[in-house]
Amino acid sequence: MFKHGADLEKIRRKYHFKGELVDFSSNINPFTPENTVINIIDDIEELRRYPDIEYIELRNSIADHIMEDNDKCDFFFNQENICVGNGATELVYLLMRTIKGKIGVICPTFSEYRRAASIVGRRHVEIQMFQTEDGFEYPDFTKPEMDIYKDIEALFICNPNNPDGKLRNLDKVVEFCQKNCIKLVVDETFIEFCEDYKDYTALNYSYQNIYVLRAITKFYGLPGIRLGYLVTKNSSYVDELFKLKEPWTVNSIASHLGVDLLKDKKFSEYSRKFYKDEREFLTKSLEEIPNLKVFKTDSAFMLVKIDDSVGMSARDLKKKLIFDYGIVIRDASNFLGLNSKYFRIAVKRHRDNLLLIESLSEIFDV
């Protein structure tokens, strides 16, 4: 079964809960661009036609967006470097079908990489990050002990990582992959929420075997549209993906709306400023609550740990928040390398963040 956040209907069924819920389990922008509804209505006639099977206009728009948004990248991207999908998750599964050898996954992280590898029968290994006082860090890929991973065909990495939301420098990872001819798949689904995203994107590296995944609809607050894309300097690999890809997986509305969304630079700037302010507020407020450890984040969500001295698990806390406060958090205990004390929360509107802080303060007797 799937184990993700954002499934409120499943939660209502499981807990027989009929009231209103504030969803801190899904990492979605609480805002959408102001002309979204108008653009959808304008495009409604597109439902009477098949989408362009090659999505040329959408792919050109994505390439233009990347070129305008990444002034530190010296490569000229065009539509031949782009593959689109029904959310970034479709592209994870599509990528797996092109890989024949062993796969490495840096953990703790998004569970669908391992699940996709298992479904297509690919052997995979988990490369565990090590925990520090402030969070989790990559192992040092320049050290000889990392040579045991030289035989993997592809390495999957999430940046900023899910579930902790921290951006990390990829220099040593890229060097290791390039030295050993390993495909590097970098999931940047949440990078556009980050203030310093231009400095950390894998698009800045010259290595041709880097494949970057992004999702349009999370950042623009429209996850139900399901629209993601892959970017790589290796255009022949995009051709290979399209040969394997099912046709028309992106619907007409999503295809046309994606073009409109990417033009809204004002919304992007507003959203990043909003997230910077609310991240700082939420982090500072949570750090004042005893028995909670807040891990540094740069993105749309944060990882929190309940102190081992407290007789409460993340699952217990989740149930209490649902029934007593109408709040849903993400129990993060099923992330490889985390235990029953970890939970993840999204950064929401200020009033919702206040509600969460007040609720947790009551529970932990502040």
Side-chain angles (χ1 to χ4, degrees):
M1 292 293 290
F2 304 107
K3 293 184 178 180
H4 296 290
D7 195 344
L8 296 188
E9 291 309 311
K10 182 178 178 180
I11 288 170
R12 292 182 195 279
R13 292 193 299 270
K14 180 177 180 179
Y15 295 107
H16 305 288
F17 190 88
K18 299 185 183 300
E20 291 296 319
L21 291 170
V22 181
D23 184 12
F24 276 87
S25 71
S26 60
N27 312 312
I28 306 300
N29 196 331
F31 305 103
T32 56
E34 59 181 354
N35 293 324
T36 298
V37 174
I38 294 172
N39 289 332
I40 291 174
I41 293 172
D42 287 346
D43 290 336
I44 204 72
E45 278 297 310
E46 294 298 326
L47 293 176
R48 297 174 59 82
R49 292 181 282 273
Y50 280 101
D52 172 12
I53 200 167
E54 296 182 355
Y55 300 102
I56 297 299
E57 182 184 16
L58 175 59
R59 290 162 66 198
N60 276 325
S61 294
I62 292 168
D64 290 344
H65 169 71
I66 290 168
M67 294 305 299
E68 293 170 7
D69 213 35
N70 289 276
D71 50 14
K72 298 189 177 185
C73 179
D74 58 4
F75 184 86
F76 182 81
F77 290 96
N78 59 45
Q79 57 91 10
E80 294 179 352
N81 304 105
I82 312 292
C83 184
V84 295
N86 190 266
T89 303
E90 183 203 350
L91 297 168
V92 170
Y93 282 78
L94 184 61
L95 276 164
M96 286 296 178
R97 292 164 59 190
T98 71
I99 298 167
K100 307 305 178 186
K102 188 165 63 173
I103 293 159
V105 180
I106 295 185
C107 300
T109 196
F110 186 49
S111 62
E112 292 299 325
Y113 314 137
R114 288 181 292 139
R115 183 172 182 271
S118 297
I119 286 174
V120 296
R122 303 294 179 264
R123 184 182 168 205
H124 61 278
V125 294
E126 288 88 18
I127 304 172
Q128 195 69 35
M129 287 194 277
F130 63 91
Q131 190 166 354
T132 66
E133 183 65 25
D134 297 324
F136 298 86
E137 296 300 337
Y138 298 144
D140 187 346
F141 278 84
T142 64
K143 291 188 175 179
E145 54 261 37
M146 299 306 291
D147 286 349
I148 60 172
Y149 301 114
K150 290 195 302 184
D151 63 338
I152 61 176
E153 181 180 340
L155 178 63
F156 280 71
I157 194 166
C158 192
N159 198 35
N161 192 39
N162 181 4
D164 66 306
K166 185 179 177 183
L167 272 172
R168 294 174 173 86
N169 182 286
L170 299 181
D171 288 355
K172 292 181 179 179
V173 179
V174 172
E175 181 183 348
F176 176 82
C177 290
Q178 189 163 11
K179 179 181 176 182
N180 296 290
C181 300
I182 296 168
K183 297 182 181 75
L184 178 59
V185 182
V186 185
D187 186 341
E188 294 185 352
T189 297
F190 294 100
I191 200 167
E192 290 179 293
F193 290 93
C194 305
E195 186 180 15
D196 298 324
Y197 71 104
K198 292 184 181 182
D199 296 326
Y200 287 88
T201 177
L203 297 174
N204 292 338
Y205 295 98
S206 60
Y207 184 39
Q208 294 287 308
N209 258 341
I210 291 178
Y211 306 92
V212 171
L213 296 169
R214 289 191 181 179
I216 291 177
T217 42
K218 284 186 174 66
F219 184 66
Y220 292 94
L222 298 163
I225 291 290
R226 308 304 303 142
L227 181 57
Y229 60 91
L230 174 144
V231 191
T232 178
K233 296 179 172 70
N234 186 353
S235 58
S236 63
Y237 194 77
V238 173
D239 292 337
E240 185 179 350
L241 290 175
F242 269 104
K243 289 175 183 176
L244 292 174
K245 189 179 186 301
E246 290 83 357
W248 304 304
T249 58
V250 176
N251 67 65
S252 300
I253 294 294
S255 177
H256 282 77
L257 186 60
V259 174
D260 295 323
L261 293 173
L262 292 173
K263 293 176 182 176
D264 197 336
K265 306 304 180 187
K266 183 178 179 182
F267 176 82
S268 300
E269 292 171 6
Y270 172 82
S271 293
R272 276 188 280 274
K273 175 65 167 59
F274 163 81
Y275 269 96
K276 178 180 182 295
D277 293 343
E278 286 303 313
R279 264 196 310 269
E280 292 175 357
F281 168 75
L282 192 54
T283 299
K284 182 180 178 182
S285 299
L286 289 170
E287 286 175 342
E288 294 175 356
I289 299 175
N291 296 314
L292 291 182
K293 177 176 178 56
V294 184
F295 292 89
K296 182 184 182 303
T297 181
D298 300 293
S299 189
F301 50 90
M302 59 186 64
L303 186 67
V304 185
K305 184 187 179 190
I306 304 168
D307 192 82
D308 291 335
S309 64
V310 178
M312 176 185 286
S313 67
R315 183 180 180 183
D316 296 332
L317 177 61
K318 178 179 178 178
K319 287 183 179 179
K320 186 169 183 61
L321 283 168
I322 289 172
F323 286 110
D324 294 355
Y325 301 95
I327 292 173
V328 181
I329 61 171
R330 171 70 156 90
D331 175 1
S333 60
N334 71 317
F335 284 87
L336 190 70
L338 303 186
N339 62 31
S340 63
K341 293 291 187 176
Y342 290 86
F343 64 95
R344 190 192 70 199
I345 54 174
V347 178
K348 306 279 286 182
R349 293 176 188 262
H350 190 72
R351 64 173 183 266
D352 294 329
N353 294 333
L354 281 172
L355 176 63
L356 177 67
I357 292 161
E358 291 168 1
S359 302
L360 290 173
S361 296
E362 285 186 15
I363 292 170
F364 290 95
D365 297 323
V366 176

